[in-house]
Amino acid sequence: KGCCLFDADRDMLVCFYEGSLNEKEVNRGLKKKLPKYMLPDAYEHKEMLPETGNGKIDRVRIRQEWENEHTVT
C-alpha cells in the first residue's frame, strides 16, 4: 500500500509506502507501469501508513510528518 505526494518546496514527487519491498523493488515495479516523468524522485518506507477514520491513507498527516522532518530554513 502506498501513495505519492508532491513537495512544492523541493519540486519533487515523494512515494510513501509500507510493506516488505525495498526502494529498488518499488521503483522497479513502478517503472513497468509508469512513464519516466511520473516516477517519484524519493521513496519513504513507513512501517504503517496512517489512516483516516474511514480506513483511507491519511495524506494530510503524511504531508505534515514529511514537512516536519524536512523543514526548509
Side-chain angles (χ1 to χ4, degrees), residues 29-46:
L30 290 175
K31 279 183 177 180
K32 292 178 183 177
K33 303 275 185 188
L34 299 173
K36 188 175 181 178
Y37 73 91
M38 293 179 90
L39 291 174
D41 300 301
Y43 295 85
E44 185 87 14
H45 179 264
K46 300 279 190 185

Side-chain angles (χ1 to χ4, degrees), residues 4 14 25 40 62:
C4 287
V14 184
E25 292 168 324
I62 291 173

Side-chain angles (χ1 to χ4, degrees), residues 3-9 12-14 16 46 50 58-70:
C3 71
C4 287
L5 297 174
F6 182 69
D7 182 340
D9 292 334
M12 63 189 287
L13 187 61
V14 184
F16 298 89
K46 300 279 190 185
D58 190 344
R59 295 170 190 270
V60 172
R61 195 158 133 213
I62 291 173
R63 180 176 298 283
Q64 289 170 344
E65 290 173 3
W66 172 259
E67 288 174 353
N68 287 340
E69 293 171 11
H70 301 87

